[in-house]
Amino acid sequence: MKTGSTGPALGGVEDRWPDKQKLHEWIRNNKALIASGYPYAVEISKYSPTAMDLFTNITDPEIDAILKYINDVNTGVIGGKKTEKDSENGKESNQNAVIFGVISLILALIAFILMYVNSNLKKLSDDAEGIDRPEPVPFYRNKVYLALFAIVLFIVGGFFVSKGMIGLNRQTGYAPKQPIYYSHKVHAGINQINCLYCHGNAWESKTAAIPSVNVCMNCHKTIQTYSKGPKLYDNEGMEINGTAEIAKLYEYAGFDPKKPDAWDPSKAKPIEWVKIHNLPDHVYFNHSQHIRVGNVQCQTCHGDITGMDVVHQASELSMGWCVNCHRQTKVNFNYSDSTGNQFYSIYQKFHDDIKSGKMDSVSVKDIGGLECQKCHY
């Protein structure tokens, strides 16, 4: 519903249509609505030359039921309970590992049976021909079997140990409980608060920083209840009282909503937020270099943050993940005396190669993005 891999994304479709009744008419007979000249229908018809099917017999209650299901799937809440969302690759990779493990065991068992049958057939053949054979060595004392077992154990054990070491301290899906329930979906998504309003340091410094209580109070000094937004749920599917969470903010701020003019911001206490995205101490990462200079969007590293109620680590943030991004990301190499990044003027060879057609673009790796010292002190 969210990705729209075979058509337009359906999540939030009711919010995009200015008139719900017109949405019903569009679903029922889009051609008639376009022919009527309704502006929004005409605009949508320009997106694709392929028209959707007509459903002239569908009733309004049936359409409402379909729209409700779409909304439930999009918000992750079905039947009043939040559905569990597996990490993008975690569950699938675990299932694949189990399948491969089972297949390997089956093949190993078949090979063992065939070896046993072959040994018995050879013994019967030798007995029939009167060939004397030495007393068979038990398999647990047979050097060939022991060597094969050791090799298999080494390969399988080495694979899982290496895999475990590679994934050490990667916290994909990590979503700790915070002192105050804060929904990025409500703030950054529905209310469209710019990320830099709360994390302004990301534009100018290495760290994105955590907003102070006073930043929160800029809005919540007047917004004292949560009543118009969608229902909120935690990771366990329990419904959250938004107004009660605002009250927790007031406790940290030392703010009495009944006496707003008497509030003293200097008495506010910092909220002890739990850090989610952690990099090793030997890794250097500069937010301003990526966001301001590289024009990298927050969602590139943090996932669909505007759709998260409970924030979790969406990307693995591993060295390979970062390096691949540097290999693929193009640099805005254009500049003039008044616009663009003047730093790129030192790469005269690249500018000449682009003009001559030898290069069509410059990626981060071309300007040192793969050098060890760029990210490691």
Side-chain angles (χ1 to χ4, degrees):
M1 295 298 180
K2 289 185 178 181
T3 58
S5 58
T6 59
L10 297 180
V13 63
E14 292 183 272
D15 297 331
R16 296 196 294 270
W17 274 77
D19 187 330
K20 185 176 181 180
Q21 186 57 40
K22 293 295 184 182
L23 173 59
H24 282 220
E25 294 179 21
W26 170 268
I27 295 173
R28 190 175 290 111
N29 191 334
N30 63 92
K31 292 182 179 179
L33 190 59
I34 296 171
S36 70
Y38 185 65
Y40 192 71
V42 174
E43 185 66 24
I44 292 179
S45 68
K46 298 176 182 178
Y47 292 155
S48 172
T50 304
M52 62 183 282
D53 294 336
L54 305 183
F55 304 95
T56 55
N57 295 327
I58 193 171
T59 64
D60 284 339
E62 290 173 336
I63 294 176
D64 287 333
I66 294 172
L67 293 175
K68 182 179 183 303
Y69 176 77
I70 292 172
N71 182 66
D72 288 346
V73 172
N74 184 59
T75 57
V77 179
I78 299 180
K81 294 184 178 180
K82 186 171 183 179
T83 58
E84 293 185 1
K85 298 180 180 179
D86 298 306
S87 59
E88 295 180 359
N89 300 317
K91 185 175 181 179
E92 183 178 353
S93 63
N94 289 337
Q95 290 177 341
N96 290 339
V98 172
I99 293 173
F100 291 145
V102 171
I103 293 175
S104 299
L105 288 175
I106 293 174
L107 291 176
L109 181 61
I110 292 174
F112 180 79
I113 293 174
L114 290 176
M115 291 173 63
Y116 181 77
V117 170
N118 180 66
S119 177
N120 285 338
L121 290 175
K122 184 172 179 58
K123 181 177 182 298
L124 292 174
S125 175
D126 291 344
D127 290 344
E129 296 178 4
I131 300 175
D132 293 332
R133 298 183 58 192
E135 190 69 23
V137 180
F139 75 92
Y140 57 86
R141 294 176 57 188
N142 190 305
K143 294 181 179 180
V144 176
Y145 290 165
L146 291 177
L148 289 174
F149 177 76
I151 292 173
V152 171
L153 181 63
F154 179 80
I155 294 174
V156 174
F159 170 77
F160 285 105
V161 170
S162 300
K163 185 177 180 181
M165 292 297 292
I166 291 173
L168 193 64
N169 285 334
R170 293 185 186 176
Q171 303 181 132
T172 307
Y174 177 54
K177 186 175 181 180
Q178 302 290 355
I180 298 177
Y181 182 93
Y182 180 91
S183 171
H184 277 74
K185 179 180 178 181
V186 171
H187 290 80
I190 296 175
N191 292 311
Q192 298 184 3
I193 299 174
N194 192 296
C195 299
L196 294 176
Y197 180 78
C198 298
H199 301 285
N201 285 40
W203 187 254
E204 299 178 342
S205 69
K206 173 185 174 183
T207 60
I210 298 174
S212 66
V213 175
N214 291 351
V215 173
C216 303
M217 290 301 295
N218 285 340
C219 296
H220 284 288
K221 187 176 180 180
T222 55
I223 303 174
Q224 300 179 2
T225 60
Y226 181 82
S227 56
K228 297 182 179 180
K231 290 185 177 181
L232 305 173
Y233 297 89
D234 61 15
N235 284 336
E236 286 72 39
M238 301 296 293
E239 186 172 352
I240 299 296
N241 186 332
T243 301
E245 299 303 309
I246 295 175
K248 292 180 183 178
L249 170 63
Y250 291 161
E251 291 182 15
Y252 283 97
F255 176 77
D256 185 353
K258 296 180 180 178
K259 301 176 182 178
D261 296 332
W263 178 49
D264 183 3
S266 64
K267 296 182 179 179
K269 299 181 296 182
I271 303 172
E272 297 180 356
W273 300 105
V274 181
K275 190 176 182 180
I276 299 174
H277 302 85
N278 297 283
L279 292 178
D281 292 340
H282 64 277
V283 175
Y284 176 82
F285 178 85
N286 191 308
H287 274 82
S288 63
Q289 187 176 4
H290 288 76
I291 294 175
R292 188 171 184 174
V293 179
N295 294 321
V296 177
Q297 298 299 310
C298 302
Q299 289 86 342
T300 302
C301 300
H302 296 290
D304 184 18
I305 200 74
T306 58
M308 295 182 190
D309 276 325
V310 179
V311 174
H312 65 272
Q313 181 173 318
S315 305
E316 64 179 30
L317 304 182
S318 67
M319 177 175 166
W321 183 82
C322 294
V323 167
N324 286 335
C325 184
H326 284 187
R327 289 191 176 115
Q328 299 166 5
T329 303
K330 306 298 181 183
V331 178
N332 184 6
F333 229 54
N334 298 322
Y335 75 96
S336 65
D337 293 338
S338 58
T339 62
N341 192 332
Q342 301 296 320
F343 171 76
Y344 296 135
S345 63
I346 67 175
Y347 296 99
Q348 187 59 46
K349 181 180 183 301
F350 288 155
H351 289 289
D352 294 340
D353 288 346
I354 291 175
K355 290 179 181 178
S356 64
K358 292 182 180 179
M359 299 177 67
D360 58 357
S361 61
V362 177
S363 60
V364 178
K365 67 179 177 61
D366 296 321
I367 57 174
L370 301 186
E371 296 176 5
C372 301
Q373 64 269 26
K374 293 289 185 180
C375 303
H376 300 288
Y377 297 97

